Amino acid sequence: MPNSNSKFHCNNRGGREAGRRELVSRSLQSAQHCLEDQDFGTAYAHYLLVLNLAPELKASVKETFQFTLFKWAEELDSLARIQDLFNCYEQALELYPNDEVICNSMGEHLFRMGFRDEAAGYFHKAVKLNPDFADAKENFYRVANWLVERWHFIMLNDTKRNLTYQRAIENAVRSGCKSVLDIGTGTGILSMFAKKAGASFVYACELSKTMYELARDVVAANNMEKEIELLHLKSLDLEIPKHIPERVSLVVTETVDAGLFGEGIVESLIHAWEHLLLQPK
């Protein structure tokens, strides 16, 4: 009897495998016919089935799947079926999470729809995955020009201003302020000043996804990614101990420019003082 049961299970498994292969083969044929008929939605559905049933085929059908996805996305966009479009890209990125072409295409749709910060995140990921991907680099620089305020460039090239900040931070750290929070870190320059001055703990928050990603790159380029904790958060949303373990002894910010009140500096600094900064005894 044991041998009989074992044989039954083997036959059962073999039957299921044969059925899977048959379904995959038929779905691939159907997908091809749909592409010939320019029925991209149905072709996309067939490819989803194939890739879920036979993930070992991901590499061989990748280019055709991309083509089908992009054509179907164009149709969905023209029909204003935006949620369906995003759902398709989410499904595609679950199957190909490290595909720079799909990431770039998703970013292009987001950018056209006005979601520039989110688009920048996908363009940035595409460039990270493939630094030689010219289209993704061009798209990232284009969206960055929309999102990075012009005064950032002016401030970063203001040597006198930067030296003044650096000296003030050095004096504060050397006088005993060993934990630092940088509100609206931008490129991360003040956080790096604090770390170089000897601060034990440095936290930096940035609301803009683009600037947050830029700060990560700048901090990493200066070999400080393990010493500065970057948080993609609005300062008003920071919680202790959820985001930082305890109140800090120094808050720094470089949100002072011609748009003083537009940047919410007063509200942010009051919040930081009341909730995140150690109170004087």
Side-chain angles (χ1 to χ4, degrees), residues 3 18 38 62 72 82 103 137 150-151 192 207 255 263 265:
N3 290 337
Q38 296 190 344
K62 179 178 175 180
W72 179 225
I82 306 307
C103 285
K137 285 197 291 187
R150 289 290 176 257
W151 50 264
M192 292 187 290
L207 178 61
T255 51
E263 292 192 48
I265 183 174

Side-chain angles (χ1 to χ4, degrees), residues 2-23:
N3 290 337
S4 178
N5 286 336
S6 176
K7 184 176 181 180
F8 171 77
H9 288 307
C10 287
N11 289 337
N12 196 28
R13 283 197 298 271
R16 286 199 300 268
E17 177 59 22
R20 181 186 75 90
R21 288 198 299 266
E22 177 67 17
L23 181 56

Side-chain angles (χ1 to χ4, degrees), residues 125-146:
K125 182 178 179 180
V127 174
K128 283 287 189 182
L129 290 167
N130 182 1
D132 297 324
F133 189 6
D135 287 349
K137 285 197 291 187
E138 182 180 344
N139 284 332
F140 180 70
Y141 295 143
R142 179 162 55 105
V143 74
N145 283 332
W146 283 90

Side-chain angles (χ1 to χ4, degrees), residues 11 48 62 84 89 96 112 122 136 155-156 170 182 277:
N11 289 337
L48 277 186
K62 179 178 175 180
D84 289 334
Y89 273 95
Y96 296 96
R112 282 195 295 270
Y122 281 97
M155 292 194 307
L156 287 172
E170 287 174 350
D182 180 5
L277 190 65

Side-chain angles (χ1 to χ4, degrees), residues 197-210:
S200 302
F201 305 99
V202 179
Y203 311 97
C205 63
E206 175 58 55
L207 178 61
S208 165
K209 178 69 173 176
T210 303

